[in-house]
Amino acid sequence: MGFRRRCCFFCLALIAPVVLAQEPRFRPSRMESSHAIQVEAWQIVALANQARAEAGAGPLKWDAALATAAREHCLQMAAEGPISHRYEGEPGLAKRAAQAGAHFSLVEENVAFGPDPAAIQEGWMRSPGHRENLLNPQVDRVGVAVVASRGAIYAVADYERAVPVFSSAQAESKVAALVEARGASILHDTAAARAACAMNHGFPRSSAGLQPQFIMRWQDADLNRLPRQLAEKLSSGEFRQAAVGCCPAQNQEEAFTAYRLAVLLY
């Protein structure tokens, strides 16, 4: 599966002052408060969620790892002066977000320099690329950082579609539950399925003489659904047993999170 990355390379220098009239409608949780999240950052999140609600998009939840990545880049912007999404010697957005501990299948970024959060939000909403990032219904998490410098504030907002973090055994268990719900009993021995997962084609050898009649290999960030072809095979009623195996994802950029699975049908 391919993963979309979108990073808006329109840079804003906002000059029209706009006063933010009220505090955010929500407060950080106890855990989030322990990280001393800036009031200005929460204002930017609140304004974004207000705009998303008006556009019919779901609210963004705070992601501490994304905020860490945004903070590092925001400090770099303040040191450099002119705003940018990447400076010489700095990792790209996806890599620095992953290095901060974020797990995602999609990542985007908005940056700006302006007098206050409201002016920055207004500028982003007036810029087609920034607006698209901010209102993207596919993203569900955000991390924001603000740095005061040169008489105004630098702001970075990183958005992602978050991916849950599972061990191999947990990933196998989730997929096994989906397979079992379609009528196939799950074999406890995962060795053959894990071996098949690591292969690009063919069937693994079986010392027990049990040979699968169908094999499905895929990788995805979403383990809440089965591939259509596999679901159709299970719905046919031809198969009574199945084995599920997980292995490291192949041909995958390290910055993005994905799971590679194989299901053997007997």
Side-chain angles (χ1 to χ4, degrees):
M1 173 183 176
F3 292 91
R4 289 197 311 126
R5 292 180 296 173
R6 185 186 302 154
C7 179
C8 184
F9 286 93
F10 296 91
C11 298
L12 297 179
L14 305 179
I15 58 175
V18 180
V19 177
L20 188 67
Q22 60 183 12
E23 289 295 306
R25 295 181 182 177
F26 58 95
R27 293 289 184 269
S29 69
R30 184 178 301 174
M31 180 179 294
E32 289 164 340
S33 297
S34 68
H35 295 283
I37 297 170
Q38 303 155 287
V39 171
E40 295 85 356
W42 278 114
Q43 290 172 342
I44 289 174
V45 177
L47 288 168
N49 278 337
Q50 180 180 342
R52 288 175 65 86
E54 292 170 356
L60 298 170
K61 296 182 180 179
W62 184 264
D63 188 285
L66 274 186
T68 297
R71 178 73 176 171
E72 291 299 316
H73 184 63
C74 202
L75 289 169
Q76 183 80 19
M77 287 204 308
E80 296 285 345
I83 60 177
S84 175
H85 288 276
R86 188 176 185 179
Y87 297 97
E88 185 177 356
E90 183 187 33
L93 168 61
K95 188 170 184 179
R96 65 176 183 260
Q99 288 175 340
H103 293 268
F104 48 85
S105 59
L106 169 66
V107 64
E108 308 173 338
E109 179 174 86
N110 282 350
V111 302
F113 176 73
D116 54 51
I120 286 171
Q121 170 72 7
E122 182 181 357
W124 283 344
M125 291 298 287
R126 289 182 175 180
S127 166
H130 291 86
R131 180 186 176 92
E132 185 178 2
N133 280 351
L134 195 154
L135 299 182
N136 187 352
Q138 295 187 58
V139 298
D140 54 17
R141 300 290 180 90
V142 66
V144 178
V146 174
V147 174
S149 181
R150 297 175 174 85
I153 59 174
Y154 289 86
V156 176
D158 289 343
Y159 313 95
E160 71 176 7
R161 181 167 187 82
V163 175
V165 181
F166 299 119
S167 67
S168 292
Q170 288 171 330
E172 290 169 353
S173 179
K174 284 189 68 67
V175 172
L178 296 176
V179 171
E180 194 169 30
R182 290 182 175 267
S185 61
I186 304 299
L187 299 175
H188 295 296
D189 187 352
T190 61
R194 290 179 177 179
C197 183
M199 302 168 61
N200 290 321
H201 52 80
F203 295 88
R205 293 182 179 179
S206 174
S207 57
L210 189 63
Q211 198 68 16
Q213 301 303 305
F214 175 82
I215 183 169
M216 184 77 195
R217 302 178 182 88
W218 79 99
Q219 61 188 49
D220 201 340
D222 185 358
L223 299 184
N224 291 315
R225 63 177 184 270
L226 298 174
R228 185 175 64 179
Q229 185 180 8
L230 176 59
E232 290 174 351
K233 287 289 185 181
L234 288 166
S235 297
S236 71
E238 299 176 30
F239 307 98
R240 301 298 182 186
Q241 294 180 307
V244 180
C246 181
C247 63
Q250 297 181 4
N251 303 318
Q252 178 69 22
E253 292 188 48
E254 292 182 3
F256 294 86
T257 299
Y259 301 97
R260 181 173 172 84
L261 280 301
V263 171
L264 281 56
L265 299 182
Y266 302 88

